[in-house]
């Protein structure tokens, strides 16, 4: 059975059991501060498990794109080395929100596997939770009794908390689970050892295939458990493992989920899968990682140096590194796999086809960049080896190479081994742990339990219409972070505060009751509830308050948000409809807008975009808002939806003239409220992605005033010239002429200096040597050194110079001396750099060092002679 058919049959089975089929949520999580990536099928349903929202359907099923490479679910290092771990994987699941429970979940799972998919019953084992004295929870007898009616008791395994109790996090809904494991070993292997003994023993052919989670408890901050008022079912089955079992393969990578990708890697790299363990691992790594990276980019997450973007860059670089080391690929090639992936999975996930060009562009650019980094790292590693006095290389130096340049530590270890050196791994791991501990400590959050006081209104957000409204506190809790200290998270019965989302920052303001008020310093959305952040709680928690939004900041933010819509329209009109929004940040004082486009905008295009937006502002276009329009109807009317965003059946559409977008943010009532739009910057974010930074309203007025002040100052310096542009051009021409004269004088000076230095050369052990302080800049010194090198054999010279209070050392060594006497100018200037409190480097025949102690030049010059001693 082909993988596409397996996915289809799973969904149709649960549809027949009255489940609604829902689409996969984006793999990249945008509006949940607790997650960077969707790492389990239940992530998009957290709000239902927590009781923060009521689901439209109490039974749903889907195939969810997941990524596990960080946090407690971290499979990255196993990927490629074994046959069943992946970064990106599909999780097939069925859910019940307060509807059916263990009886149906277990029986349906068994029916699907054995009746529909015809899995051999004798190859299956199941587990039940044995209980926990620590939590005061006994054996899951309910699940046990159901399983005993289905499967022989010797195939039922009792698991502890680690294996058979699933938790969403340190707090929140949780419960016992039953795992279904499959033994796909040969009959000969099964005869030697029972599969029961290999369950949860990391055996590649005895693997967990499905986890049935019975959510019946809530974990409180103190670690205790309480019963949930409504019990839920959350199941997750690894699609790739299911395909392995049904296609009777011994490895996920031998299924049709991966074989087309593997064949494409073989073709591109001229390698063969199945002949060498090192090559096989590399091909598996690449075939896995291209999926994770491609889907992440399609969902709007570009590789970067921070957060989720750093995770994606790390995955991609791991793939590039394996290709570089084991497949001998020195040119970009991974981007060529995107088309094969699209052919394979595009029907189930159409975003791959729609975003194909962008995905290829971004991956190719990342490959080019990292291959340059690898080249640079190889040179730096070579220098570390040359300078080492020991056969064991410092782990601290290797960490600097890893941390600063992104040079992979396993590649460092491999190269050192080939050269007969070893790496102090303990030192490296200590440095890495120290860095991780610092990072973890900076972001660690300790949360208390929620204290619930009142019910939250059904229409909780009223901020589209009101900036001030009477409210009560519905619940609150204390949180602590190292960065911000103790804070309080407050949920109100209703709120005018807009929570951060869709690129727009959260509102600030205050809660007041009588004469007292507390500041709201930020507003975010978590698990579908709007959370307000405050540094303290009001004295009377149960009082009625007035929630007041900072109206000035909201108005500026709304102007910038509306401007992003007009900007999007302008870019699509002027550059083409290939332009798509790829990210935005909307704040009171400025905005930025990322979009897909293949080249830098010209000054004419920037001016045209500005004029387009400002014309829409001058037209005084009225806001047309539809708060509850059917998603498909909005699209049919021309609304633009963004890739990587999760939309419900009902959406909010915002229209200003011909600009119509799906958007939950706040906007001006009329475009005239924006006043004016000014682009302040245009730059590249990644290959095929550009960024525009801009300002509106009061910020533009301040900008124009600043420019006016600058012009006034320039005119003052030019003695109030009537035409300052012409006056500056005259100064530039005069300056260029003076530069020519100075360069001519310096050449004459260097010519005279060259003759002088030739007369000062001394012969030491067959080497022509001079060490001298000269009055030249760095460029003049280099020219003089190379001129002398072309005229004098076996030359060793060291020049010192003082420029603007700084010291400079330059060393030149004839190439024949570099080889015959094993001299290295880079090493020499680094060692002599200590006398001028500086450092530097360069090539073996020419190098420079800079420092902040000019008085040390004399001593450095005096020390140079020691390098020629026999």
């Amino acid at each position: 059975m082909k993988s596409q058919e397996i996915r289809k049959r799973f969904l149709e089975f649960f549809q027949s059991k009255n489940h609604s089929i829902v689409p996969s949520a984006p793999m990249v999580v945008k509006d949940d501060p607790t997650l960077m990536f969707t790492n389990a099928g239940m992530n998009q349903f957290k709000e239902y498990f927590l009781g923060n929202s009521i689901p439209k359907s109490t039974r749903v099923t889907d195939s969810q794109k997941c990524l596990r490479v960080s946090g407690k679910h971290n499979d990255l290092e196993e990927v490629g080395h074994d046959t069943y771990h992946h970064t990106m994987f599909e999780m097939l699941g069925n859910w019940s929100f307060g509807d059916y429970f263990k009886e149906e979940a277990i029986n349906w799972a068994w029916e699907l596997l054995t009746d529909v998919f015809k899995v051999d019953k004798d190859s299956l084992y199941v587990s039940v939770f044995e209980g926990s004295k620590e939590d005061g929870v006994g054996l899951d007898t309910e699940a046990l009794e159901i399983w005993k009616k289905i499967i022989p008791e010797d195939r039922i395994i009792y698991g502890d908390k680690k294996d058979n109790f699933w938790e969403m996090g340190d707090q929140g809904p949780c419960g016992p689970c039953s795992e279904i494991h499959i033994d796909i070993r040969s009959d000969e292997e099964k005869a030697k050892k029972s599969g029961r003994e290999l369950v949860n023993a990391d055996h590649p052919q005895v693997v967990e295939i499905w986890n049935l989670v019975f959510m019946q408890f809530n974990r409180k901050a103190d670690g205790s458990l309480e019963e949930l008022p409504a019990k839920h079912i959350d199941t997750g089955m690894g699609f790739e493992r299911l395909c392995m079992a049904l296609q009777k393969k011994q490895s996920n990578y031998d299924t049709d989920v991966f074989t087309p990708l593997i064949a494409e890697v073989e073709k591109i790299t001229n390698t063969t899968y199945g002949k060498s363990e090192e090559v096989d691992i590399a091909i598996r790594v690449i075939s896995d990682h291209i999926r994770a990276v491609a889907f992440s980019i399609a969902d709007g997450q570009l590789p970067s140096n921070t957060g989720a973007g750093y995770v994606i860059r790390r995955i991609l670089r791991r793939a590039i590194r394996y290709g570089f080391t084991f497949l001998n690929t020195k040119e970009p090639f991974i981007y060529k796999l995107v088309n094969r992936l699209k052919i394979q999975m595009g029907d189930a996930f159409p975003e791959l086809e729609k975003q194909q060009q962008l995905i290829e562009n971004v991956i190719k650019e990342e490959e080019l960049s990292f291959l340059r980094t690898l080249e640079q790292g190889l040179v730096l590693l070579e220098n570390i080896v040359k300078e080492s006095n020991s056969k064991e290389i410092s782990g601290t130096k290797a960490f600097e190479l890893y941390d600063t340049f992104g040079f992979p530590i396993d590649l460092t270890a491999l190269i050192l081994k080939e050269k007969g050196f070893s790496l102090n791994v303990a030192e490296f791991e200590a440095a890495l742990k120290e860095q991780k501990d610092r990072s973890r400590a900076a972001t660690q959050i300790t949360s208390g339990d929620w204290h619930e006081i009142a019910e939250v209104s059904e229409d909780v957000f009223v901020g589209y219409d009101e900036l001030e409204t009477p409210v009560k506190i519905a619940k609150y809790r204390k949180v602590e972070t190292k960065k911000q200290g103790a804070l309080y998270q407050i949920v109100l019965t209703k709120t005018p505060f807009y929570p951060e989302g869709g690129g727009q920052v959260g509102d600030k303001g205050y809660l007041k009751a009588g004469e007292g008020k507390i500041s709201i310093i930020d507003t975010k959305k978590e698990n579908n509830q709007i959370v307000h952040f405050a540094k303290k709680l009001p004295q009377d928690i149960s009082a009625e308050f007035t929630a007041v939004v900072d109206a000035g900041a909201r108005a500026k933010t709304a102007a910038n948000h509306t401007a992003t819509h007009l900007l999007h329209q302008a870019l699509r009109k002027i550059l083409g409809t290939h332009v798509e929004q790829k990210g935005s940040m909307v704040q009171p004082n400025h905005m930025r807008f990322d979009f897909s486009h293949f080249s830098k905008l010209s000054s004419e295009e920037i001016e045209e975009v500005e004029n387009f937006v400002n014309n829409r502002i001058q037209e005084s276009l009225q806001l047309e808002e539809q708060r509850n329009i059917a998603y498909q109807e909005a699209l049919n009317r021309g609304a633009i939806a963004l890739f990587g965003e999760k939309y419900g059946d009902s959406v909010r559409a915002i229209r200003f003239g011909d600009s119509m977008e799906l958007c939950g943010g706040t906007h001006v009532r009329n475009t005239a409220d924006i006043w004016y739009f000014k682009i302040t910057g245009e730059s590249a974010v990644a290959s095929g992605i550009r960024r525009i930074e801009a300002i509106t309203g009061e910020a533009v007025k301040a900008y124009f005033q600043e420019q006016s002040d600058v012009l006034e100052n320039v005119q003052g310096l030019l003695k109030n010239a009537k035409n300052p542009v012409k006056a500056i051009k005259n100064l530039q021409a005069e300056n260029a002429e003076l530069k020519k004269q100075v360069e001519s004088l310096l050449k004459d000076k260097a010519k005279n200096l060259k003759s002088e230095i030739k007369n000062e050369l001394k012969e030491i052990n067959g080497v022509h040597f001079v060490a001298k302080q000269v009055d030249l800049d760095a460029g003049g010194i280099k020219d003089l050194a190379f001129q002398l090198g072309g005229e004098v054999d076996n030359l060793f010279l060291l020049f010192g110079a003082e420029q603007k209070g700084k010291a400079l050392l330059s060393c030149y060594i004839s190439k024949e001396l570099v080889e015959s006497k094993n001299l290295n100018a880079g090493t020499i200037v680094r060692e002599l750099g200590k006398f001028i409190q500086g450092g530097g480097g360069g090539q073996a025949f020419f190098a420079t060092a800079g420092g902040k102690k000019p008085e040390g030049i004399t001593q450095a010059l005096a020390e140079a002679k020691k390098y020629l001693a026999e």
Side-chain angles (χ1 to χ4, degrees), residues 763-831:
E763 188 170 328
I764 303 173
N765 297 325
V767 176
H768 293 110
F769 170 81
V770 67
K772 183 179 178 66
Q773 184 160 348
V774 295
D775 185 19
L776 292 173
D777 63 10
I781 289 174
K782 185 176 181 180
D783 288 342
L784 178 59
F786 278 81
Q787 284 179 36
L788 287 165
E791 298 173 15
V792 180
D793 294 332
N794 294 325
L795 179 64
F796 180 121
L797 63 81
L798 180 72
F799 287 148
E802 181 179 351
Q803 293 285 325
K804 299 178 182 178
K806 302 287 185 182
L808 177 69
L809 294 176
S810 295
C811 180
Y812 177 92
I813 304 173
S814 295
K815 289 187 177 180
E816 60 267 25
L817 289 180
V818 170
E819 295 171 6
S820 64
K821 292 193 175 285
N822 197 28
L823 292 169
N824 187 302
T827 303
I828 289 168
V829 295
R830 269 195 295 274
E831 292 174 356

Side-chain angles (χ1 to χ4, degrees), residues 564-613:
T564 65
H565 286 218
L566 300 179
L567 172 59
H568 195 187
Q569 182 191 8
L571 292 168
R572 288 172 65 85
K573 179 84 172 175
I574 293 158
L575 303 180
T577 53
H578 65 278
V579 168
E580 290 177 349
Q581 180 177 338
K582 292 299 171 187
S584 67
M585 184 190 69
V586 181
Q587 294 185 332
N589 297 324
H590 68 284
M591 53 150 284
R592 72 172 186 234
F593 186 85
D594 297 344
F595 59 99
S596 54
H597 186 55
F598 43 81
S599 62
K600 178 179 173 64
L601 270 67
S602 66
S603 55
E604 291 79 13
E605 286 172 328
I606 289 175
E607 184 178 355
E608 198 175 347
V609 168
E610 274 188 352
N611 289 339
F612 182 96
V613 174

Side-chain angles (χ1 to χ4, degrees), residues 483-553:
K483 187 177 180 181
Q484 294 179 291
L487 292 174
Y488 291 91
Q489 294 182 339
I490 300 170
V491 175
L492 303 173
T493 49
K494 60 179 178 175
T495 180
F497 288 84
Y498 179 81
E500 179 183 320
Q504 180 175 328
V505 296
D507 281 334
K508 297 179 181 180
Y510 57 89
L511 298 178
K512 68 176 181 179
E515 295 300 313
K517 71 166 66 169
I518 64 163
S519 295
I520 299 299
I521 59 174
D522 201 359
T523 311
K524 295 181 185 291
K525 198 167 193 178
E526 186 175 326
N527 298 320
N528 205 41
Q529 63 183 6
I530 297 175
V531 180
H532 309 76
F533 289 76
K535 291 189 175 179
K536 63 178 183 179
L537 290 172
Q539 288 184 336
D540 183 3
I541 297 292
S542 60
E544 185 166 289
F545 300 89
T546 302
V548 182
V549 174
D550 182 335

Side-chain angles (χ1 to χ4, degrees), residues 738-750:
L738 289 171
K739 271 188 174 180
K740 286 180 184 176
Q741 293 176 26
V742 169
E743 285 170 5
S744 179
L745 290 169
L746 286 173
K747 282 180 181 177
D748 289 341
K749 182 178 179 180

Side-chain angles (χ1 to χ4, degrees), residues 349-413:
F349 301 101
E351 61 268 31
L352 287 175
E353 183 165 1
K354 291 174 182 172
Q355 301 289 293
Q356 181 180 355
Q357 190 61 57
L358 173 69
I359 297 166
E360 288 178 353
N361 288 347
V362 171
I363 292 175
K364 186 177 182 181
E365 185 62 33
E366 284 288 312
E367 288 189 85
L368 284 166
S369 173
F370 190 52
L371 287 168
R372 288 193 293 268
T373 294
L374 287 176
E375 281 182 25
Q376 185 183 14
L378 290 170
V379 172
L380 293 169
L381 184 56
E382 188 69 31
N383 290 336
I384 290 172
V385 170
K386 281 182 181 177
E387 292 169 14
S388 176
N389 299 320
S390 164
K391 282 290 183 181
E392 183 180 66
I393 300 298
S394 160
T396 307
K397 285 188 180 293
F399 178 76
E400 288 171 10
L401 201 58
Y402 164 84
D403 193 40
T404 308
F405 298 98
F407 199 75
I409 190 61
D410 48 358
L411 183 55
T412 298

Side-chain angles (χ1 to χ4, degrees), residues 32 34 42 46 49-50 52 72 165-175 215 217-226 228 444-452 475-480 489 526-527 529:
D32 185 345
T34 65
M42 56 75 60
K46 280 168 67 175
F49 294 129
L50 291 164
N52 296 332
K72 82 174 181 179
F165 195 88
W166 196 92
E167 309 204 40
M168 195 161 66
D170 294 333
Q171 295 170 240
C174 55
M215 287 203 184
F217 299 110
N218 177 51
R219 176 79 68 184
K220 300 176 72 176
D222 63 4
S224 63
L225 295 176
E226 62 182 7
L228 285 173
Q444 192 169 15
I445 299 174
T446 305
S447 303
D449 288 322
W450 285 105
H451 299 277
E452 300 192 15
K475 58 181 179 178
Y476 69 91
R477 69 176 177 181
K478 186 177 181 180
V479 297
E480 291 197 42
Q489 294 182 339
E526 186 175 326
N527 298 320
Q529 63 183 6

